[in-house]
Amino acid sequence: MTKQDLKIVFFGTPEFAVASLAKLVDGGYNVAAVVTMPDKPAGRGKHLMQSDVKRYAVEKGLPVLQPERLKADDFVDALRAIDADLFIVIAFRMLPEVVWQMPRLGTFNLHASLLPKYRGAAPLNWAVINGDKETGVTTFFLKHEIDTGDIIQQRRIDIADTDNVGIVHDKLMLLGADMVVETVDAIIDGTFKTIPQEELTGGKTPTTAPKIFKDTCHLDWTKSAESVHNLVRGLSPYPAAWNTVDKADKEIQLKIYETARTGKSAVGAVPGSITTADGRIMVACADEYLQINSLQQSGKKRMDYKEFLRGFDLNGLQMK
């Protein structure tokens, strides 16, 4: 079988998935259809917004399916009519068994972690939040339990101390696109070998990567500077860590995008207390002061600390 003969249905929604789809299309693979989320109203005008994957697919003239319900008879019938050999899933919803069991060569997923580590919705964020020094991408065949299928391929990258989740996202997006094509080629050639995840756990329960909520993003300055710094990195640029300060009897929310370790002891200072005495924004953690380099007041634009301090006096305030 050649790549032109292998009929693929691609499932995905955000930008992370577009890179892989584009690699397949540009490589001449037979993408018979694309499945993505329905258009959703967004912005003040509530205009319908297409997913990144749909915009690319429409541009390339690929057939697009946008089911509201993945078990709906009309959607399942439409998939069966395509008679695809292989399904590829990247950053999409959890598929029902009636869907992922359909193609004769199976359904594989690209996951942004080194499985079995970080099964779940936010593997990129949690790898950075937890201060990991490396992460990667994994392709694996779907099975009933989420993110537990047999591994086909993996690739690794280092995480620098200065990397935020946006930087890691972009690195893995490109690395993952290459590996998706390699995985398809191995399936076509019949040269792939899978590894059950149970062989890699060492009998331990794998680290999970639960969905990020607003409370997850709230900074706790009673923790170490390293812990706070990693949380900021793991949430930047989106959804961003946050705190509030009280100024003139008004509570103001601040999003914090970039911090730096200072090594300056904060022992004896109240955690969360702010000093700008030397022209920097310094916040006391449990062990040392952390410098805030980039932040945003609610309703304003993102600024570096110098620009921010020209219009907002933080000295002596308390992060809450």
Side-chain angles (χ1 to χ4, degrees):
M1 177 179 286
T2 67
K3 62 184 179 182
Q4 291 84 11
D5 296 324
L6 182 78
K7 193 180 291 187
I8 296 169
V9 173
F10 185 94
F11 296 72
T13 295
E15 179 190 13
F16 188 86
V18 174
S20 294
L21 177 57
K23 196 86 174 181
L24 291 167
V25 172
D26 292 344
Y29 293 82
N30 181 8
V31 180
V34 170
V35 182
T36 191
M37 66 182 290
D39 299 348
K40 291 189 175 181
R44 292 182 179 179
K46 297 297 180 183
H47 300 295
L48 287 177
M49 295 291 294
Q50 299 177 348
S51 72
D52 293 327
V53 163
K54 181 181 178 180
R55 283 194 293 272
Y56 176 84
V58 170
E59 177 187 327
K60 295 298 181 179
L62 300 172
V64 177
L65 300 176
Q66 296 179 272
E68 291 283 353
R69 295 189 308 109
L70 296 175
K71 290 184 179 180
D73 290 342
D74 57 346
F75 172 63
V76 173
D77 290 344
L79 280 182
R80 285 202 178 101
I82 295 169
D83 193 25
D85 303 294
L86 180 69
F87 289 172
I88 300 174
V89 183
I90 304 175
F92 194 65
R93 295 142 63 190
M94 186 174 177
L95 297 185
E97 188 170 353
V98 68
V99 172
W100 59 259
Q101 280 198 340
M102 192 180 298
R104 67 180 185 85
L105 295 177
T107 299
F108 80 79
N109 176 258
L110 173 72
H111 188 73
S113 82
L114 297 171
L115 289 173
K117 195 172 186 180
Y118 295 124
R119 294 171 177 168
L124 289 172
N125 302 92
W126 287 107
V128 180
I129 290 170
N130 290 336
D132 289 5
K133 300 301 182 184
E134 70 169 4
T135 187
V137 281
T138 303
T139 51
F140 68 97
F141 283 115
L142 263 62
K143 59 189 290 188
H144 186 68
E145 297 81 9
I146 189 167
D147 296 338
T148 61
D150 293 352
I151 291 171
I152 309 168
Q153 291 188 339
Q154 286 189 330
R155 283 195 181 186
R156 299 171 181 266
I157 62 164
D158 293 332
I159 304 176
D161 292 339
T162 54
D163 284 348
N164 63 25
V165 74
I167 293 170
V168 176
H169 169 281
D170 291 350
K171 290 178 181 178
L172 291 186
M173 179 174 65
L174 299 177
L175 188 68
D178 289 340
M179 199 172 69
V180 163
V181 171
E182 290 177 7
T183 300
V184 173
D185 287 343
I187 290 172
I188 291 172
D189 297 340
T191 56
F192 69 92
K193 294 182 179 180
T194 58
I195 303 173
Q197 290 191 39
E198 292 74 17
E199 293 184 10
L200 304 176
T201 61
K204 297 179 181 179
T205 301
T207 310
T208 58
K211 187 176 180 180
I212 301 291
F213 294 98
K214 185 175 181 179
D215 286 349
T216 315
C217 306
H218 182 258
L219 292 171
D220 179 0
W221 299 91
T222 66
K223 295 184 176 180
S224 69
E226 180 181 18
S227 176
V228 176
H229 177 60
N230 288 343
L231 184 62
V232 171
R233 293 192 302 126
L235 299 170
S236 180
Y238 181 84
W242 66 276
N243 270 129
T244 60
V245 295
D246 291 335
K247 187 174 177 65
D249 296 324
K250 183 179 180 181
E251 185 177 79
I252 297 170
Q253 182 172 304
L254 301 174
K255 287 187 174 182
I256 299 169
Y257 294 96
E258 186 180 353
T259 55
R261 300 281 300 277
T262 66
K264 181 180 178 181
S265 175
V267 175
V270 176
S273 58
I274 306 170
T275 177
T276 60
D278 62 356
R280 297 182 292 170
I281 302 174
M282 307 271 281
V283 185
C285 299
D287 51 357
E288 68 180 63
Y289 281 94
L290 196 65
Q291 179 174 324
I292 296 178
N293 289 334
S294 177
L295 68 166
Q296 180 180 13
Q297 181 182 343
S298 181
K300 307 289 185 180
K301 68 175 183 177
R302 176 176 171 176
M303 304 179 187
D304 65 36
Y305 72 95
K306 292 179 181 179
E307 184 181 10
F308 188 88
L309 288 177
R310 285 196 287 268
F312 196 113
D313 183 12
L314 284 170
N315 196 51
L317 299 183
Q318 180 77 23
M319 289 286 192
K320 298 168 60 180

